[in-house]
Amino acid sequence: MSAAKPVIFISYSHKDEPEHPRDGETAWLSFVRTYLQPAIKHGVFDLFVDRHLPGGADWDAETEAKIRACDIFILLVSAHSMASDIIVDKEIAIIRERQARGEPVHFYPLLLTPTPAAALDKVRDKNIRPRDAKPFSQFSPHDRMQHMTDAADEIAAIATGIGERKSAAATVVPPVRPTYVHISSLPETAYERLVGRDAELKRLDEAWLDSKTNIISLIAEGGAGKSALVNEWLTRMQADNYRGAEAVLGWSFYSQGTKERATSADGFLNWALERLSVVINTTSATAKGDAIAEALMHRRVLLVLDGVEPLQHGPDGQQGQLKDQGLRALLRRFAAASPAGAHGLIVLTSRLAVTDIAGRKDGAAPVIDVEKLSDEASTALLRDNSVWGTDKQLEQAARDFGGHPLALGLLASFLKETQTGDIRRRDHIRGLVIGTGNPGQDHAARVMESYEKEWLVGRPELLAIMRIIGLFDRPASTDCLKALRAEPAIIGLTDAIVALDENEWQRAIARLRDVRLIAPPDPIAPDSLDAHPLVREWFGERLEQQRRHSYRSGHRRLFEHLRDATQEGLYPTLEALTPLYQAITHGCRAGRHDEALKKIYRDRICRWRKNGELEYYSSRRLGANGSNLAAIFWFFEKPYKKPISTLGASRQSWILSQAAFGLRSQGRFSEALWAQRAAIEIGGPEWSRSAAVYTSDLSSLELILGNVKASVGIATLSVGSAIKSETPNRVIASLAAKGFTLLAAGRGNEAGIAFDDARRRQEVSQPERPLLHAIPGNRFCELLLSRADFDSAFRLTNEALDWDGLEPDLLVEALNTLNLARASLGSTFEKVSHQVGVSLPAGVRRIPEWFDKSVVGLRAAAQLDQIPRGLIGRAILGRCFGDWAGSTRDLEEVEDIARSGPMKLHLCDAALERARLALAKREGFAPLNGMFEALPPKSKVPEEIKRGSLHEEAMKQIAIAADYIEICGYQRRDGELAELQSVLRGERTFASLPIHV
């Protein structure tokens, strides 16, 4: 043990650690040590229990010496331990004696099981964990793990403080140890010694010290050793107390497969916010990404993101671009952060460079291409792993396997196991298949083929384990493994392992770890199993090719287990729904697409309302559009164009429409448009009931992309379909959608007619709710606001709030808040823009709050096309009270979001507002300045040279807007354009213009 590290002594009763636990019985010492192990691994402290004593040692003398020397005394409290004379009268007594003398020893009791009050009185003066002295045994397994995790973190923090105090007398004060280190999510790698990566390690060191570097990307093909490189660097950082890091966090996406799949970063974002203690009241992935980036800008945090490629577009799309908006927001925001000595660093690994931050690769976001190993390094790797031969023979082998670290590591293990390590015997392995497009992957595959043919063939239990690992696209959890190992055996898959007892099972696992087919154990979940994604995928594909029935049966077993074992509850979180998303993957791979779609995705993730309509719970309540899109992936033969043929026409149509919604939420509007059109073309027996909804959604997509004329035509068809369906709420929604598109086309009178029809139908359909509300109500408000009828818009929204609250919807709530803000701003501007000393009516001071709340809410709704509406509204407010910088930031974000579509109407609106902002700055016009608390003082009229540049900026933006209006047919903005052009011509002042909110 290192004298510099704090030492922990665990006092426990052997009766609480049975050698062969029965079902339902817990080995408590092992349980506690599992959660302390990560901190031990990362050098936070050393641990002592009596099992560490050498054979023949005097127990009493040795144990007493350890207790008198330890820094932290952990007592595992139970009826057994508190009845032990040795523990109570000797061990606890020694600690009490040391504390009475003022020695800095920390007494930390953990309550395992119900214990009599008389026994607890002996430790009640200490802070017993779990809190409120509720024993671990009385918590559910999940809560028990969480409470032990919290305790382990607290113990690590205590140990860190002790270690710092112990080292205070040193001549050279070491760097401060991080407050916490959470890197257990990173994959374990089997390398005993990393070779050939000195240059990359140096670049990582430099990045950590460079205040101008925010993100550094390590790019290489799968199996090239990116994770091993990062792990080695972290090990070196740990040896140096992480060189001043406040916190070290690590997350791996590699567990989600090697092929391009739709996935999301939802789980990571929630985890990172929790670890960084960032509280944000939203479900918006974009807002979460921004919040994490903001934290990294001001804190010395090291964040490692391993294996980002599942969240990137592959070669058939925008290659390298991120599909997940939350991660995209995090990386873009942090990459753009200004240099600062105290900011953090993101280390990112992927097979593809992230194109979203490619513009900063020569500055804040450099990219390192991790090359294949040199012949010298490859030779060293082989020798390190007991392969023998001449240097020339080893170098030739390195070239034969492309300097690919994973392939060379597997080759070394294979030769050691089957050919006594003789490099000459690699002729047992087939040659490389030329033209695969991924030679590194084939290098690894051909070694695995030889493993299967020459080593695993005589070890059926080991082959079975590798095959069941191939069923997963993530680490195989303990409960899923238990389900697969259960009787009856799955013919052709688990025959060889169902009869294995626990000792035999563990020996088999250890054997596979010895040869590197299975990854080292995860300290947090030691009974879970994982392998490198390339290994996992290869065995899965072989099983599917060779034993398709067994492959499907294995997935069916996992599907049924996750389906039946998951208890998501009435109002589940995203974490609670995660097993259901996983169940969909296995269900579809088992060929049970219809059941996975209906019973899992529709019934338990989307969920039904009492009125028989789908609630779309996961998207509307949780904003989990990324997770939904990842689930929907499995219902397609070609994502997101050709659904699985075994689904009926109506279900194919519905899943295409669901895909369109998910793609739309991620800003992938062209793909969404294709999917929505396909949904309409397929139709099906239930088409008449869905036609109005699908065509209305298609009209909305056309409008987002700036195809106003097409949008109007499709909206008109939607009304006809809705009337045929004889469903009043669909008719009302379609009429409101039509009115909204007509308004965009500048046909305000016709829009009014459509909305009047919708309002009459609303009064008849729901006399108790006679006003338009929800999305139709918000669209009608748009017409009122365009007419500057601000008071009516405010009244309508205010009266609809209670109705909309009966069926919570993130988007509706955010739009209602936005319309309250816009209507109030418009009304206030009209009253004060040309008057002096006008006092604001009660409630108007909430306008800034409403705008901020609406932006947060629109982010939470996770529909990317809606967020610019809130940002533009807030930019208008900023212009009116003189916050030029705030307005500029909001408009820049609008443009950043809208370019992804491109959302041409939002780009047009942003250009118009940029022109207004330039003219307002030119004239120093901020009529609402000083009327809100804590707002910036009014800016002065700029000097003449500055006025000239602002005039040019206004001209430029007006020209951009004019082009969009003409191209898109966006005649709604004709009047606003004409007003601004008249200001440029000097025919009127900017201050004389009406407000457009």
Side-chain angles (χ1 to χ4, degrees):
M1 294 185 184
S2 169
K5 294 181 187 176
V7 175
I8 293 179
F9 182 101
I10 298 182
S11 175
Y12 73 104
S13 168
H14 288 268
K15 293 180 180 179
D16 290 321
E17 182 70 1
E19 291 187 12
H20 304 290
R22 298 185 296 271
D23 287 343
E25 193 174 21
T26 301
W28 287 108
L29 177 63
S30 298
F31 170 75
V32 172
R33 291 182 66 181
T34 295
Y35 289 84
L36 296 178
Q37 189 61 39
I40 298 170
K41 175 182 178 180
H42 296 295
V44 179
F45 52 75
D46 285 328
L47 183 68
F48 178 85
V49 293
D50 63 0
R51 291 178 179 176
H52 289 175
L53 291 173
D58 187 305
W59 188 91
D60 288 333
E62 289 287 341
T63 301
E64 181 175 345
K66 295 295 183 182
I67 294 173
R68 292 192 180 279
C70 73
D71 299 289
I72 301 174
F73 177 83
I74 297 177
L75 174 64
L76 305 190
V77 181
S78 70
H80 296 311
S81 64
M82 300 311 289
S84 166
D85 292 340
I86 292 176
I87 291 175
V88 174
D89 297 333
K90 192 161 188 176
E91 296 181 354
I92 294 178
I94 291 173
I95 295 301
R96 294 286 190 182
E97 174 190 332
R98 290 183 61 194
Q99 289 186 324
R101 291 200 303 264
E103 291 186 32
V105 58
H106 195 97
F107 190 164
Y108 197 100
L110 292 171
L111 183 57
L112 306 180
T113 55
T115 303
L120 286 179
D121 285 342
K122 298 181 183 300
V123 294
R124 208 178 291 277
D125 61 321
K126 303 300 179 183
N127 288 327
I128 300 175
R129 296 291 185 263
R131 298 181 187 277
D132 302 322
K134 180 179 177 180
F136 282 109
S137 62
Q138 292 184 357
F139 288 98
S140 68
H142 177 272
D143 288 342
R144 183 185 304 172
M145 291 187 289
Q146 184 59 57
H147 281 290
M148 190 59 228
T149 298
D150 294 341
D153 288 345
E154 188 173 43
I155 291 166
I158 293 168
T160 297
I162 292 171
E164 291 168 355
R165 289 193 296 273
K166 289 175 73 175
S167 302
T171 303
V172 179
V173 179
V176 177
R177 193 184 295 276
T179 304
Y180 48 81
V181 177
H182 294 286
I183 56 175
S184 57
S185 296
L186 296 177
E188 298 290 333
T189 48
Y191 293 92
E192 295 298 327
R193 182 172 73 96
L194 189 73
V195 297
R197 298 301 187 202
D198 292 341
E200 290 87 348
L201 290 167
K202 183 180 178 182
R203 287 288 303 279
L204 289 170
D205 287 340
E206 292 170 348
W208 177 246
L209 296 173
D210 184 4
S211 64
K212 297 179 181 179
T213 300
N214 299 342
I215 302 172
I216 185 166
S217 299
L218 305 175
I219 306 302
E221 63 178 326
K226 301 183 294 294
S227 298
L229 169 59
V230 171
N231 282 347
E232 172 65 20
W233 184 61
L234 288 173
T235 298
R236 297 185 182 193
M237 289 280 285
Q238 179 263 321
D240 201 13
N241 285 342
Y242 291 104
R243 303 173 193 170
E246 171 191 338
V248 183
L249 305 176
W251 183 274
S252 178
F253 300 99
Y254 96 111
S255 61
Q256 300 175 64
T258 58
K259 292 183 177 178
E260 185 205 0
R261 294 194 176 101
T263 188
S264 89
D266 292 339
F268 157 71
L269 296 171
N270 293 338
W271 175 86
L273 288 170
E274 179 183 357
R275 295 304 182 189
L276 292 168
S277 299
V278 175
V279 178
I280 178 172
N281 186 25
T282 179
T283 57
S284 163
T286 301
K288 291 176 182 178
D290 283 339
I292 296 167
E294 185 70 24
L296 294 178
M297 291 178 196
H298 305 290
R299 297 167 61 179
R300 195 71 168 130
V301 173
L302 172 60
L303 174 60
V304 177
L305 301 178
D306 182 70
V308 172
E309 57 268 12
L311 291 94
Q312 293 175 271
H313 285 284
D316 58 347
Q318 300 107 331
Q319 186 166 356
Q321 183 175 325
L322 287 165
K323 296 178 284 189
D324 186 272
Q325 293 300 314
L327 187 60
R328 180 175 183 267
L330 164 59
L331 296 183
R332 285 178 63 87
R333 177 82 182 276
F334 189 51
S338 300
H343 73 59
L345 174 71
I346 293 177
V347 175
L348 178 154
T349 76
S350 179
R351 298 192 187 117
L352 300 168
V354 178
T355 57
D356 303 83
I357 55 174
R360 301 183 184 275
K361 66 180 181 180
D362 295 325
V367 174
I368 300 176
D369 290 319
V370 180
E371 305 290 347
K372 68 179 184 179
L373 290 178
S374 66
D375 290 350
E376 181 182 1
S378 297
T379 298
L381 188 155
L382 292 170
R383 288 200 186 280
D384 281 352
N385 288 276
S386 304
V387 174
W388 57 273
T390 66
D391 286 346
K392 186 174 182 179
Q393 289 168 339
L394 293 173
E395 288 174 2
Q396 184 58 51
R399 288 190 286 272
D400 290 347
F401 285 84
H404 190 263
L406 175 65
L408 290 170
L410 290 170
L411 171 66
S413 296
F414 173 76
L415 293 175
K416 180 181 176 181
E417 291 296 328
T418 65
Q419 310 299 330
T420 67
D422 187 348
I423 193 63
R424 297 170 298 177
R425 304 300 299 278
R426 70 182 185 280
D427 57 356
H428 286 237
I429 300 171
R430 70 162 171 84
L432 177 69
V433 176
I434 305 300
T436 60
N438 193 341
Q441 186 168 342
D442 192 56
H443 285 310
R446 57 197 183 107
V447 182
M448 287 184 281
E449 285 179 22
S450 296
Y451 255 123
E452 183 186 51
K453 293 176 182 177
E454 297 192 29
W455 193 72
L456 290 171
V457 68
R459 297 168 174 80
E461 72 283 2
L462 303 187
L463 181 57
I465 293 171
M466 294 310 303
R467 284 172 171 167
I468 65 174
I469 289 176
L471 296 173
F472 294 86
D473 61 357
R474 66 197 70 208
S477 63
T478 305
D479 63 301
C480 286
L481 289 170
K482 186 176 180 180
L484 288 170
R485 293 173 60 194
E487 295 280 5
I490 301 170
I491 304 302
L493 180 59
T494 65
D495 322 55
I497 61 172
V498 292
L500 296 181
D501 63 28
E502 190 60 25
N503 288 332
E504 292 169 329
W505 170 260
Q506 292 298 339
R507 283 197 295 271
I509 298 303
R511 196 73 186 90
L512 289 168
R513 284 189 172 129
D514 286 343
V515 299
R516 296 189 179 184
L517 288 176
I518 290 182
D522 181 346
I524 298 300
D527 292 327
S528 66
L529 296 180
D530 198 13
H532 190 283
L534 292 179
V535 175
R536 187 201 308 141
E537 188 170 88
W538 187 86
F539 278 99
E541 289 179 350
R542 292 285 284 185
L543 178 63
E544 184 178 18
Q545 294 164 3
Q546 296 175 346
R547 302 187 178 191
R548 185 167 178 77
H549 178 75
S550 302
Y551 172 86
R552 287 199 159 195
S553 296
H555 282 297
R556 181 169 64 249
R557 177 79 62 89
L558 290 168
F559 169 67
E560 292 171 352
H561 163 69
L562 291 165
R563 178 197 65 190
D564 299 339
T566 303
Q567 302 293 325
E568 66 270 29
L570 190 59
Y571 299 108
T573 62
L574 181 59
E575 182 181 6
L577 292 177
T578 297
L580 296 180
Y581 285 116
Q582 187 181 353
I584 288 173
T585 300
H586 294 296
C588 291
R589 284 175 158 178
R592 294 169 69 168
H593 296 87
D594 196 64
E595 183 180 355
L597 180 61
K598 291 190 298 184
K599 299 298 184 182
I600 305 296
Y601 182 72
R602 185 192 65 182
D603 294 355
R604 298 174 68 178
I605 292 177
C606 293
R607 302 161 74 95
W608 295 98
R609 288 197 176 107
K610 292 180 180 179
N611 64 3
E613 293 184 352
L614 278 173
E615 181 181 6
Y616 295 105
Y617 176 91
S618 56
S619 59
R620 291 180 176 174
R621 295 278 193 103
L622 304 179
N625 295 327
S627 295
N628 287 352
L629 194 61
I632 290 169
F633 169 92
W634 298 101
F635 298 105
F636 284 86
E637 293 178 11
K638 185 176 182 181
Y640 294 94
K641 297 180 179 180
K642 185 179 180 182
I644 295 294
S645 57
T646 55
L647 296 174
S650 59
R651 292 198 176 92
Q652 289 186 37
S653 182
W654 184 67
I655 205 64
L656 277 163
S657 183
Q658 285 288 290
F661 181 84
L663 292 165
R664 171 177 171 172
S665 72
Q666 293 192 347
R668 298 160 65 180
F669 296 107
S670 296
E671 294 173 82
L673 190 67
W674 199 103
Q676 195 65 46
R677 286 173 177 166
I680 293 171
E681 291 172 4
I682 290 175
E686 301 177 5
W687 169 243
S688 60
R689 292 194 297 169
S690 305
V693 176
Y694 290 4
T695 49
S696 181
D697 288 344
L698 180 61
S699 172
S700 178
L701 281 166
E702 295 280 14
L703 193 64
I704 290 168
L705 291 169
N707 306 322
V708 176
K709 183 177 180 181
S711 178
V712 171
I714 297 168
T716 303
L717 292 174
S718 176
V719 173
S721 298
I723 292 172
K724 289 179 182 179
S725 75
E726 298 182 348
T727 307
N729 63 334
R730 292 186 180 177
V731 177
I732 293 165
S734 293
L735 282 166
K738 179 182 178 181
F740 189 65
T741 60
L742 286 167
L743 178 62
R747 295 156 64 178
N749 291 335
E750 295 174 70
I753 294 171
F755 280 116
D756 286 342
D757 192 357
R759 292 162 64 196
R760 286 192 295 270
R761 292 175 185 271
Q762 178 68 34
E763 291 171 358
V764 173
S765 174
Q766 290 183 291
E768 73 281 7
R769 299 186 192 181
L771 299 177
L772 291 176
H773 58 281
I775 296 300
N778 275 283
R779 285 173 166 166
F780 180 45
C781 263
E782 202 67 38
L783 177 67
L784 296 175
L785 292 169
S786 73
R787 293 173 172 175
D789 190 354
F790 303 122
D791 292 340
S792 295
F794 187 90
R795 284 196 304 271
L796 171 64
T797 303
N798 208 33
E799 291 180 31
L801 284 174
D802 291 338
W803 302 339
D804 291 337
L806 296 174
E807 297 178 352
D809 185 301
L810 295 172
L811 178 60
V812 170
E813 181 182 351
L815 291 176
N816 283 338
T817 305
L818 176 60
N819 286 337
L820 287 177
R822 294 167 71 199
S824 297
L825 175 60
S827 179
T828 302
F829 182 93
E830 285 190 335
K831 292 174 183 177
V832 305
S833 61
H834 305 298
Q835 302 178 49
V836 179
V838 176
S839 61
L840 296 177
V844 172
R845 295 187 186 280
R846 295 189 63 190
I847 293 175
E849 172 195 337
W850 282 335
F851 272 116
D852 288 341
K853 184 179 178 182
S854 72
V855 171
V856 170
L858 290 169
R859 294 192 201 279
Q863 294 187 40
L864 199 64
D865 57 292
Q866 297 290 344
I867 297 172
R869 296 178 64 183
L871 292 169
I872 289 175
R874 192 167 67 180
I876 295 170
L877 172 67
R879 166 172 58 83
C880 289
F881 64 65
D883 182 9
W884 316 135
S887 292
T888 300
R889 284 194 301 271
D890 281 336
L891 292 172
E892 286 176 347
E893 184 176 355
V894 170
E895 292 166 349
D896 183 49
I897 293 172
R899 287 192 195 100
S900 66
M903 307 179 210
K904 296 176 184 176
L905 303 194
H906 286 322
L907 289 171
C908 177
D909 292 344
L912 288 170
E913 184 53 30
R914 274 194 179 275
R916 294 190 189 98
L917 179 61
L919 293 172
K921 291 167 71 174
R922 187 187 71 169
E923 298 183 14
F925 181 65
L928 303 188
N929 185 264
M931 293 191 175
F932 300 98
E933 296 178 2
L935 295 182
K938 182 176 179 179
S939 299
K940 298 179 180 179
V941 176
E943 299 175 357
E944 198 61 36
I945 187 169
K946 183 69 171 176
R947 284 170 56 84
S949 64
L950 289 169
H951 183 86
E952 292 176 2
E953 171 67 9
M955 288 181 60
K956 172 186 171 183
Q957 296 298 330
I958 289 171
I960 291 171
D963 286 343
Y964 278 123
I965 290 170
E966 182 179 357
I967 292 168
C968 300
Y970 192 26
Q971 262 58 64
R972 175 184 177 179
R973 303 303 184 195
D974 281 347
E976 299 173 43
L977 179 67
E979 290 170 357
L980 291 170
Q981 289 171 334
S982 70
V983 173
L984 288 183
R985 292 192 298 268
E987 297 170 2
R988 60 195 302 186
T989 63
F990 178 70
S992 68
L993 298 184
I995 191 170
H996 300 281
V997 296

